[in-house]
Every structure is written in C-alpha cells, then in structure tokens.
Amino acid sequence: MRVCCYGSSSAKTPAAYVEESYKLGQVLAKRGHVCVNGAGKSGCMGAMNDGASDGNGDIIGVIHEMFMGKDKSGRTKGDEDGSHSTFRKQELPNGENPPECAPTRAPMRELLIAGGNDLQERKRLLVENADCICVLPGGCGTFDELWEMACSRGLGLMTMPIVCISVDGFYAPFEDMLKRAYKDNLLYSLPDDIIHFEPTAEKAVEWLERKVAEVGVQKPKQRRVLSTSKSRMGGFLDNYWGDEEESGHRWRLALTFTTGVIVGAALSVTTISTLMSRSRK
C-alpha cells in the first residue's frame, strides 16, 4: 500500500505529535507499506522518516526545490538542504562491504524535487499513485493539503480514503466542523465518508488497510441531493436520499418530461400559426 502522509515540518512540534509520527513510520515499515511524505527532517515529517528508516521501510520524499541546496536540474541554489538524511546516499568508509546481517533487500529511498512558483507540482507528486492519505498534526500547509483532497473526495473526483491521526484531540475541531456542515445541509456526503479520524497511528493504518481493500468492490456511496426547491410535480425535486443510479434515473425522467413539454409547446404554436394563416386566405 502506498500511503501519502501529511504533517508538520516545524522543529517546535510538540513531543506527543513527534512520538506518534515516529510510531506511524514504524507501523508503515513493519506492515510493508510505502511511506510518501514531504521529505522533511524536522517535526512530524522528520520523526515519521526516522521511524520508517529505523524500521527498514520504503520511503519516497517529495520536496520543493526552494527547500533544497539544488534545483531540479542539479544547479546549486544555496547551502541548505532541507531534506531528511535518509534520502542521502550512505557510503561505507574505505569501500568496506556491508555486514552479513544487512537486509537482503535494500529499502527504497527516493527523493523527488518539485519546481514551480507554488506548491501545486509538489502536492500532485505526493498523491500520484497513492492508495490512501494519512494526516498527522500540522499547520497551514498540512491543512491546505488535507482540505484540497477532502474536497476532491467529497465531490467524487477521487476515491482515496483519508484518515487524520487526532493526537490529543488535535483534529477534533475539524471533525466538529464537518458534522456541523452536514447538519446544516452543506455536504453531499456523510462526514466520515470524507475524512475519518483515529487517535493513534496504529489504528489509522489498520483503518486504511480495511478501506483500501474495499476499493473496487464496494457499491457506489449514497450521495446527498441538496436541492430544497419544490415543484408542482408532487415534490419531485424535494430533498431525498438515493444511490447514484436511482438519482440519475430520476433526473433522466425529469429531463425527458421537460423536453416533451417544450417540443409539444413548439408543435402547438406551429400548428396554430399554420391554421391561422390558412383561415386568413
């Protein structure tokens, strides 16, 4: 399973968030999943990379060139390399051979450098070919990444399950916000169908494994129709619940009926005009 992970890069990230991030990296490595993240060396990202690296897991980092010492073409841009040390080649001194206890398969360490004047390419590369999304505590950048994908999922543009690890209730306000929006008839889907929340890394990964296994075999989810208008057709356009197939069928009937009325009215006008022309003659 290829897991796209979002989280803070701040060196001031609270210890509780850092510890759970390390556990996430460990759990992903232990279960054989690929950890895709922003390649950071501090905060939740850094701890997650530490955990995945210590667990001999596969890691793919996606970092913007402004955080690197070089740009995409390899040209030097500065002295600071913001990527985690796990993405730098580790060479043994004096050409020594690796110890006999070394793993038979070297873990994957891949660093992708995104360019551009914004973060769009980086965000695209993070979710490209991902099976799911796991979100750790973070700041504005993490919120931006989370809500962009939540919007896509809520609109049915993608099916990747999204889970937030709500350490010490960090994401409780987001969960409450979704519930309020649903209560106020502002969402097309159930809140949990957009973003799921778990308190620990292990529970989050277990939930993702179950949801990813369901993709491709589950029936289309019920989609909420938010229209509140009423018509003379016995409330045909009232709010209702129905699956996508039923909803589409109802709208086809309405379209057919409306088209018939329009065509009938046009024929009537034509017929009346013809009769009036003949009577004048």
Side-chain angles (χ1 to χ4, degrees):
M1 189 167 73
R2 183 172 173 135
V3 186
C4 172
C5 301
Y6 301 142
S8 79
S9 60
S10 171
K12 297 180 180 180
T13 300
Y17 305 161
V18 171
E19 291 171 7
E20 202 61 40
S21 301
Y22 182 87
K23 291 178 182 177
L24 176 61
Q26 288 266 286
V27 171
L28 292 175
K30 181 180 179 180
R31 293 175 178 266
H33 303 312
V34 179
C35 177
V36 185
N37 65 82
K41 58 185 178 182
S42 301
C44 289
M45 274 196 290
M48 176 172 43
N49 283 321
D50 286 339
S53 181
D54 291 347
N56 199 42
D58 294 330
I59 313 172
I60 297 176
V62 183
I63 192 169
H64 195 279
E65 62 184 14
M66 66 179 170
F67 299 120
M68 292 292 294
K70 297 180 180 180
D71 62 16
K72 293 174 64 177
S73 63
R75 293 174 299 182
T76 300
K77 290 176 65 70
D79 298 328
E80 179 66 20
D81 184 348
S83 65
H84 193 277
S85 59
T86 192
F87 298 107
R88 299 165 203 153
K89 293 182 179 179
Q90 302 295 323
E91 298 180 359
L92 293 174
N94 302 322
E96 296 179 9
N97 294 322
E100 295 181 0
C101 61
T104 56
R105 183 188 73 85
M108 176 174 59
R109 298 287 188 273
E110 184 176 356
L111 182 64
L112 305 178
I113 302 177
N117 297 323
D118 53 32
L119 298 175
Q120 294 307 310
E121 182 182 4
R122 176 178 175 273
K123 291 194 288 186
R124 177 184 63 79
L125 291 173
L126 278 167
V127 297
E128 192 170 67
N129 299 319
D131 297 300
C132 53
I133 297 172
C134 188
V135 188
L136 290 157
C140 294
T142 302
F143 301 160
D144 172 48
E145 294 163 337
L146 166 62
W147 286 113
E148 179 174 338
M149 299 313 297
C151 178
S152 295
R153 181 168 171 80
L155 293 174
L157 298 176
M158 67 90 172
T159 59
M160 285 183 288
I162 304 172
V163 64
C164 286
I165 303 177
S166 190
V167 185
D168 291 342
F170 180 83
Y171 281 112
F174 282 12
E175 188 173 9
D176 292 340
M177 188 189 303
L178 283 170
K179 290 178 180 178
R180 173 63 184 271
Y182 179 78
K183 179 182 177 181
D184 290 348
N185 205 29
L186 301 176
L187 298 181
Y188 290 100
S189 305
L190 291 168
D192 195 62
D193 287 339
I194 300 174
I195 302 175
H196 182 73
F197 299 87
E198 289 288 354
T200 67
E202 188 164 5
K203 289 185 177 181
V205 174
E206 289 174 353
W207 182 84
L208 286 173
E209 289 173 338
R210 291 195 301 271
K211 299 304 291 186
V212 169
E214 293 173 6
V215 173
V217 297
Q218 61 186 3
K219 295 181 179 180
K221 293 184 179 295
Q222 290 183 331
R223 187 175 186 272
R224 201 181 195 190
V225 178
L226 299 180
S227 173
T228 57
S229 61
K230 292 186 178 181
S231 69
R232 296 179 181 178
M233 300 166 59
F236 179 79
L237 295 179
D238 290 350
N239 284 354
Y240 66 92
W241 283 95
D243 59 26
E244 297 288 352
E245 183 176 356
E246 180 183 359
S247 176
H249 177 64
R250 289 185 178 184
W251 282 109
R252 284 193 295 272
L253 286 176
L255 181 61
T256 302
F257 176 81
T258 304
T259 302
V261 171
I262 295 173
V263 172
L267 289 175
S268 297
V269 171
T270 302
T271 302
I272 292 173
S273 300
T274 302
L275 292 176
M276 291 179 65
S277 299
R278 290 179 179 177
S279 63
R280 291 172 183 172
K281 293 179 180 180

